Amino acid sequence: AIAAGGYHTVAFKADGTVVAWGDNYYGQTNVPAGLSGVTAIAAGGYHTVALKTDGTVVAWGDNRFGQTTVPAGLSGVTAIAAGGQHTLALKSDGTVVAWGGRYGQTTVPAGLSGVTAIAAGGSSRTVALKTDGTSVAWGRNDFGQTNVPAGLSGVVAIAAGDSHTVALVIKD
C-alpha cells in the first residue's frame, strides 16, 4: 500500500516493513527502527502513522498539535487515518479515537458507534461512515464540509479533502 501526505510519501511492503521519502523537515520519513508487522499506513501533512498486526498504532513526524502522541493503551485498532494536524483510529468495536488538532476535529461526537470507515480531511475535520449507510462529520466547517446533506443514506465510502467531503452512494 502507499499513502501520500502533504509533502511526503510512505509505503508498506509485503513483508510488513515501511519505507518513506520526500520532505523530512519534521522527521515524517524517519521510519522508527525495527518497525515491522505493519498492515496499514496513513500520511498526514507532516506526520506518518502505521497500524500493526497486533492492533496497535505507531506515529512519527510533526507533533506540534499532538498528532503523533498515540493515546496510552490504544489497542484493538482496525483502521487509521491522518489529517494535516490530527490522527484517527477506528477500533474493532466500531468506535473512533482521535488525537491532535485544534479545530474540534478530534472531539468525537458522544455516543458515536457502529463506525466502519474513517477519513481525516485536511487539517480540520473528521468523517465517519456508519454500518447503517449514514455518515457523520465534525470539526472546522468554514465551507460547509461537515454539513452532511439531510437524508443522505446508502453511503458505501467516504473521503475528505482539504476543504470538502465526499460520499459514494449506491442507489437502486
Side-chain angles (χ1 to χ4, degrees), residues 5 20 22 28 30 37 45 48 53 57 73 75 77 85 96 103-104 117 122-123 127 140 143 149 156 165 172:
Q28 65 268 37
N30 293 341
T48 304
T53 56
V57 174
S75 63
V77 175
Q85 302 171 351
V96 176
Y103 297 111
S123 60
V127 184
R140 195 170 186 173
F143 304 102
V156 296
T165 304
D172 292 334

Side-chain angles (χ1 to χ4, degrees), residues 16 36-40 51-56 77:
S36 63
V38 173
T39 62
L51 173 61
K52 297 185 64 174
T53 56
D54 65 1
T56 61
V77 175

Side-chain angles (χ1 to χ4, degrees), residues 58-84:
V58 178
W60 63 94
D62 183 16
N63 197 37
R64 289 175 294 161
F65 303 100
Q67 64 267 46
T68 63
T69 304
V70 178
L74 180 64
S75 63
V77 175
T78 60
I80 53 174

Side-chain angles (χ1 to χ4, degrees), residues 84-131:
Q85 302 171 351
H86 68 296
T87 305
L88 309 172
L90 175 60
K91 296 188 64 170
S92 59
D93 65 1
T95 60
V96 176
V97 177
W99 61 95
R102 59 183 176 165
Y103 297 111
Q105 71 270 41
T106 58
T107 305
V108 179
L112 180 64
S113 62
V115 174
T116 61
I118 51 176
S123 60
S124 61
R125 94 194 144 293
T126 300
V127 184
L129 172 61
K130 297 184 63 174
T131 55

Side-chain angles (χ1 to χ4, degrees), residues 134-163:
T134 62
S135 62
V136 178
W138 63 94
R140 195 170 186 173
N141 195 32
D142 297 6
F143 304 102
Q145 62 268 43
T146 64
N147 295 341
V148 177
L152 181 65
S153 63
V155 177
V156 296
I158 54 172
D162 191 45
S163 298

